[in-house]
């Protein structure tokens, strides 16, 4: 990451400060090198202690450190940068483009390092395995043994030095500022293993440990690369939300001429033109024209909303019919979609505060292992062992207590659980998703597209009536008309069809003029706003109403019952009308429900539940659910959901059923049990292995085998899980 300031000259960074209401100022940084909750806590605590800083929050997913200065104080952005670097991390003013490029560079570097380590481990073992396995019996003489050790070292050493750079550089940055992180004992153990192996080879010793050093790097890189991949999937939610805004807008000048402008250049008061099939670029007020908007992704409302002059419209809504002239009411960055994106990012940051048990254990591991290794060396030398033997024991302590088993305790379980759920059609997108899901005690469902199928279907229509209205329905792109046409099947279309924006379609069927659309358009007074309906009628004849419903998923009621049986409470938060929500809640057996909610309302409802101590699982599919998904303790979305919503969720499930929600919950609880068992084993292993190494009962070679064996044990324990055992 290229820094954009000179810490000596201290250039003005005021351009990066963003004023907020009440006189506060925000400063966003891009931080590199933070990989765990311990790093996050160290950075947030260090920056928050600076004079004038009100709060500091680090998002591990994006690397963004959001700093807020208190109102009325002189904001010193340079001091924040220097403080972060003083803690051993690289930092620069946040630039989204640079953040994406830095993330991609790190991914390429980890992939290359992993490949080099795999090559080194495989080829070093080709020479070392025959030595310690005794494959050649007495035929292998001292000269041949030394030659094979040299070949193993010549292959392993450059691979270790290159592939281990992510750990070595992290350790060096930490040590340079007088601190020690988890990469320090790893680096010391690996480098000392190489050193001792060369000494043993030069002195014609029996054992060398080149393969152990490169294998250790390989195992550790697997975990870091998987963590990187999980972050890459999670970091794009806010970006995908903002992508719902049109990249440009058509503006009208004083002479009525159209101009195409980038969205960033749109100002409050600009006149805009939005044609059918286009999205509303910014929150605005309709100045002219009429039409219908699809707000499903914003509000969850299944029914198109008619708009006319004076109507307020929101960014991201899809114009279904009729050209609209709008007057921009807010700046693009203040639109509804941008506000939801900010809620998603804020939710992701709060969610990243989840502290894993492995991070807590690591905080104890580093000083304890350093102390144990140092005492082993000093005590051994003092007791007459000699520096070589004392150093061998100290290195054995570092290797045998290497946190591979500790580091794999959770990832091994997560990988197995994630793979099993993937085969069931559930994609786990966050490394800590299963940990959070296991803690859930309250489930919130959206209605449309979650409890229901999200597809309007015609109900209660006779084939004869359907055949009469179908020719007009086939000529319309309206969602309800498409549902009617799909029910009728292929057939003729009406002639001379014209569409009245926000009202319906009119045409000739068999020589008679007919209309299909809203009740008032067809000539019926007293429309029932609580129903999703279309009216059809031939001019001068009786009018017919077609009603539509969004059917419940076949296993919705069974899924709710299974969740309640597991001790969870369940409710519905929906942006749809009260009538459909009430009927759906009654049908699936949910007593708690709320309807007509905006995206902010849903997010606030989740926040209130969280403040009450509830661990909430949110299951939603619309853009109106994205902020709530990000605020929830755990989040799931169906595969039919908007891509931005899927990215805001921790898990995405496919298929027509909801049984995956129960299967994921059961798997998460099993995964937590297996992870805790792995932690217990790792602790017991270190309690036994470390004293054995200190007493000289284990040399570095056996230590490497024991370390690998401990990793194998936790992996095999993870494989004991029965994924989705509690399926409905």
């Amino acid at each position: 990451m290229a820094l954009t300031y000179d810490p000596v000259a201290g250039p003005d960074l005021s351009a990066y400060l963003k004023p907020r209401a009440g006189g506060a100022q925000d400063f966003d940084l891009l931080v590199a090198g933070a990989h765990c909750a311990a790093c996050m806590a160290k950075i947030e605590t260090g920056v928050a202690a600076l004079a004038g800083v009100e709060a500091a929050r680090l998002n591990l997913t994006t690397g963004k450190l959001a700093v807020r200065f208190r109102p009325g104080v002189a904001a010193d952005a340079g001091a924040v940068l220097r403080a972060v670097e003083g803690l051993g991390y690289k930092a620069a003013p946040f630039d989204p483009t640079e953040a994406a490029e830095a993330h991609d560079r790190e991914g390429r570097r980890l992939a290359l390092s992993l490949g080099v380590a795999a090559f080194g481990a495989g080829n070093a073992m080709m020479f070392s395995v025959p030595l310690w396995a005794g494959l050649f019996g007495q035929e292998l003489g001292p000269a041949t043994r030394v030659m094979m050790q040299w070949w193993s070292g010549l292959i392993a050493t450059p691979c270790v030095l290159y592939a281990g750079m992510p750990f070595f550089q992290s350790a060096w940055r930490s040590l340079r500022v007088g601190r020690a992180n988890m990469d320090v004992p790893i680096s010391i153990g690996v480098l000392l293993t190489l050193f001792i192996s060369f000494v043993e080879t030069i002195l014609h010793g029996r054992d060398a440990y080149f393969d152990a050093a490169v294998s250790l790097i390989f195992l550790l890189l697997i975990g870091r690369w998987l963590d990187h991949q999980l972050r890459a999937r999670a970091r794009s939610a806010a970006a995908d939300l903002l992508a719902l805004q049109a990249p440009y807008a058509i503006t009208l000048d004083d002479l009525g001429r159209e101009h195409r402008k980038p969205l960033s250049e749109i100002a409050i008061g600009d006149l805009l033109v939005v044609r059918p099939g286009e999205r509303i670029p910014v929150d605005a007020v309709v100045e002219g024209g009429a039409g219908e908007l699809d707000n499903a992704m914003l509000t969850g409302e299944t029914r198109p909303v008619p708009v006319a002059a004076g109507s307020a419209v929101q960014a991201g809504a899809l114009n279904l019919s009729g050209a609209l002239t709008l007057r921009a009411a807010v700046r693009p960055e203040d639109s509804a979609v941008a506000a939801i994106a900010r809620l998603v990012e804020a939710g992701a940051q709060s969610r990243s505060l989840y502290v894993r048990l492995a991070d807590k254990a690591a905080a104890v591991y580093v000083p304890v292992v350093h102390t144990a290794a140092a005492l082993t060396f000093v005590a051994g030398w003092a007791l007459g062992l000699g520096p070589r033997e004392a150093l061998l024991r100290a290195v054995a302590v570092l290797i045998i207590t290497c946190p591979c088993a500790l580091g794999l305790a959770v990832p091994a379980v997560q990988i197995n659980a994630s793979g099993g759920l993937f085969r069931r059609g559930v994609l786990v997108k966050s490394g800590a998703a299963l940990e959070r899901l296991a803690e859930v005690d309250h489930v919130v469902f959206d209605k449309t597209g979650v409890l229901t199928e999200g597809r309007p279907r015609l109900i209660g229509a006779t084939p004869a009536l359907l055949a009469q209205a179908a020719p007009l329905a086939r000529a319309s792109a309206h969602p309800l008309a498409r549902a009617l046409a799909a029910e009728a099947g292929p057939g003729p279309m009406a002639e001379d069809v014209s569409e009245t924006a926000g009202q319906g379609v009119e045409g000739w069927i068999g020589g008679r003029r007919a209309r299909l659309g809203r009740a008032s358009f067809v000539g019926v007074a007293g429309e029932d706003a609580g129903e999703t309906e279309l009216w059809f009628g031939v001019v001068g004849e009786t009018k017919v109403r077609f009603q539509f419903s969004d059917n419940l998923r076949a296993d919705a009621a069974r899924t709710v019952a299974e969740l309640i049986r597991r001790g969870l409470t369940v409710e519905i938060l929906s942006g749809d009308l009260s009538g459909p929500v009430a009927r759906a809640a009654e049908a699936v057996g949910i007593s708690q429900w709320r309807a007509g909610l905006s995206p902010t309302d849903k997010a606030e409802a989740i926040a209130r539940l969280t403040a009450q101590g509830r661990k909430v699982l949110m299951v939603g599919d619309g853009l109106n659910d994205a902020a709530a998904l990000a605020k929830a303790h755990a989040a799931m979305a169906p595969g039919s959901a908007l891509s931005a919503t899927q990215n805001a969720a921790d898990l995405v499930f496919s298929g027509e059923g909801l049984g995956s929600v129960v299967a994921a919950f059961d798997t998460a609880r099993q995964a937590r049990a297996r992870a805790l068992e792995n932690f217990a084993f790792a602790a017991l292993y270190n309690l036994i292995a470390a004293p054995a190494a200190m007493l000289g009962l284990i040399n570095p070679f056996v230590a490497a085998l024991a370390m690998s064996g401990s990793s194998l044990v936790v992996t095999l324990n993870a494989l004991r899980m029965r994924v989705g055992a509690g399926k409905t």
Side-chain angles (χ1 to χ4, degrees):
M1 184 192 307
L3 295 179
T4 59
Y5 84 108
D6 181 353
V8 177
D12 184 15
L13 294 174
S14 58
Y16 295 100
L17 294 172
K18 295 179 290 186
R20 295 299 181 196
Q25 289 182 297
D26 289 352
F27 178 46
D28 295 336
L29 296 88
L30 177 61
V31 178
H35 297 288
C36 65
C39 296
M40 181 175 65
K42 180 167 63 175
I43 293 172
E44 290 180 347
T45 302
V47 173
L50 296 176
V53 173
E54 183 177 61
R57 298 291 295 278
L58 176 62
N59 186 335
L60 287 179
T61 299
T62 61
K64 181 179 180 180
L65 175 63
V67 180
R68 172 156 296 183
F69 292 95
R70 295 188 183 91
V73 302
D76 190 349
V80 175
L81 281 165
R82 290 189 292 273
V84 174
E85 291 203 326
L87 294 171
Y89 302 90
K90 291 184 178 180
F94 187 81
D95 179 347
T97 302
E98 171 62 22
E101 292 176 353
H103 191 271
D104 292 340
R105 285 196 300 270
E106 182 185 3
R108 291 192 297 269
R109 180 190 182 196
L110 287 174
L112 182 58
S113 296
L114 186 59
V116 170
F119 170 85
N123 286 276
M125 287 182 181
M126 182 173 63
F127 293 99
S128 61
V129 169
L131 295 180
W132 55 259
L135 297 182
F136 297 103
Q138 301 298 323
E139 300 175 8
L140 193 63
T144 305
R145 173 181 292 276
V146 171
M147 181 191 70
M148 294 181 73
Q149 288 176 339
W150 275 115
W151 277 112
S152 180
L154 290 174
I155 293 172
T157 301
C159 293
V160 167
L161 295 179
Y162 179 84
M165 277 299 169
F167 306 100
F168 301 153
Q169 291 176 342
S170 172
W172 172 245
R173 286 195 299 268
S174 181
L175 291 173
R176 192 173 56 185
V177 295
R179 299 174 181 270
N181 59 17
M182 199 167 176
D183 291 334
V184 171
I186 291 173
S187 301
I188 294 175
V190 169
L191 294 177
L192 282 179
T193 300
L194 288 179
F195 173 75
I196 290 177
S197 298
F198 275 113
V199 171
E200 288 290 293
T201 302
I202 292 172
L203 298 178
H204 294 186
R206 184 179 184 278
D207 298 315
Y209 316 105
F210 298 112
D211 55 337
V214 70
S215 297
L216 177 57
I217 291 294
F218 175 66
L219 290 170
L220 294 172
L221 280 171
I222 289 176
R224 190 152 294 186
W225 184 80
L226 289 173
D227 178 68
H228 176 86
Q229 292 301 104
L230 290 168
R231 293 189 196 187
R233 293 176 185 165
R235 63 194 289 268
S236 61
D240 285 351
L241 283 167
L242 292 175
L244 286 177
Q245 288 183 298
Y248 63 88
I250 303 298
T251 63
L252 293 175
D253 61 18
D254 295 338
L255 299 178
R257 294 174 300 190
E258 295 185 359
H259 301 276
R260 178 168 168 161
K261 286 186 178 182
L263 191 62
S264 59
E265 297 181 8
I266 301 302
I268 297 175
D270 283 352
L271 280 177
L272 314 173
V273 175
V274 179
R275 297 183 172 85
E278 298 177 346
R279 290 195 179 273
I280 306 298
V282 298
D283 294 359
V285 176
V286 179
E287 290 279 320
E292 289 185 319
L293 300 182
D294 180 359
N295 284 326
M297 295 305 177
L298 288 167
T299 66
E301 171 65 71
T302 57
R303 180 179 177 181
V305 177
V307 294
S311 300
V313 296
Q314 291 184 323
L318 181 64
N319 185 12
L320 297 175
S321 60
L324 301 175
T325 302
L326 313 175
R327 188 171 297 278
V330 301
R331 298 174 302 170
E333 58 267 30
D334 295 327
S335 67
V337 173
I340 296 172
R342 285 193 291 271
L343 286 173
V344 169
E345 185 174 356
Q349 288 188 196
S350 64
R351 188 169 56 196
S352 70
L353 289 177
Y354 184 81
V355 179
R356 300 182 183 182
L357 291 174
D359 294 322
K360 293 181 178 179
V364 178
Y365 163 83
V366 174
V368 169
V369 169
H370 284 173
T371 302
L375 289 176
T376 299
F377 177 75
V378 173
W381 197 354
L383 294 174
L385 292 178
R388 178 176 173 273
E389 180 63 26
L391 185 58
L392 280 172
R393 291 190 181 187
V395 170
V397 171
L398 285 174
I399 293 176
I400 205 165
T401 57
C402 175
C404 277
L406 181 63
L408 287 172
V410 174
V413 172
Q414 289 177 343
I415 291 169
N416 181 53
S418 299
L421 286 173
F422 180 78
R423 289 188 290 273
R424 278 191 56 103
V426 181
L427 174 64
V428 180
K429 298 173 58 273
S430 168
L434 295 177
E435 295 175 358
R436 293 193 300 273
L437 185 58
E439 300 170 345
V440 163
D441 57 18
H442 185 76
V443 182
V444 171
F445 284 105
D446 178 40
K447 181 188 79 70
T448 305
V450 178
L451 291 174
T452 68
E453 297 173 345
R455 298 186 295 269
R457 294 184 179 180
L458 184 64
I459 57 174
T462 65
L465 292 176
L466 185 60
Q468 292 180 38
L472 268 179
R474 296 185 186 107
S476 174
H478 192 283
L480 297 183
R482 289 200 300 267
L484 194 154
E487 185 72 21
M493 289 179 56
E495 299 176 349
D496 297 328
V497 176
S498 63
E499 184 165 1
T500 302
Q503 297 297 318
V505 292
E506 180 180 356
W508 291 84
I509 303 175
R512 299 186 298 172
R513 188 160 58 92
R515 286 186 171 185
L516 177 70
R518 299 174 66 88
S520 57
F521 177 71
V522 177
V524 178
E527 177 189 6
D528 181 7
E531 298 287 347
T532 301
E533 62 187 21
L534 281 179
W535 284 83
F536 169 77
V538 176
V539 175
E541 298 183 11
T542 303
K543 310 303 185 292
V544 178
R545 181 173 68 172
F546 292 97
Q547 291 180 272
F548 298 81
S549 70
D550 191 6
N551 294 342
L552 290 169
R553 292 181 187 258
D555 64 345
R558 186 167 69 253
T559 297
V560 170
E562 288 292 332
L563 292 172
I564 293 174
R565 189 168 66 85
R566 285 159 173 76
L568 305 177
T569 52
V570 186
E571 72 173 301
I572 299 174
L573 297 178
S574 176
D576 210 343
L577 301 174
S578 296
V581 176
R583 290 191 292 273
E586 182 180 4
V588 300
I590 297 177
S591 59
Q592 295 177 270
W593 59 270
R594 292 176 60 190
L597 301 180
S598 68
T600 302
D601 292 335
K602 288 190 176 185
E604 289 176 349
I606 299 296
R608 283 194 296 271
L609 287 167
T610 302
Q612 294 168 8
R614 308 304 299 271
K615 305 291 187 181
V616 181
L617 166 63
M618 174 71 192
V619 188
D621 78 320
L623 178 58
N624 63 319
D625 300 316
L629 290 167
K631 286 284 187 182
H633 194 65
M636 295 185 70
S640 58
L642 186 71
S643 59
T645 306
Q646 292 184 22
N647 276 310
D650 300 309
L651 303 95
V652 177
F653 60 93
S654 60
E656 297 295 325
L658 279 177
S660 297
V661 176
V662 180
F665 178 73
D666 289 343
T667 300
R669 286 198 166 177
Q670 285 191 68
R672 178 175 63 178
R674 297 290 89 78
L676 291 175
E677 291 168 1
N678 282 349
F679 278 127
F681 168 78
L684 180 62
Y685 159 80
N686 280 285
L687 286 174
I688 297 173
M694 296 173 71
L695 294 173
L697 302 177
I698 298 175
N699 62 28
F701 176 73
V702 175
L705 289 179
M707 177 273 296
S708 300
S710 67
S711 301
L712 180 62
V713 169
V714 298
T715 302
L716 292 176
N717 187 52
L719 293 175
R720 295 196 304 118
M721 284 197 311
R722 296 174 56 232
V723 174
K727 61 185 178 182
T728 61

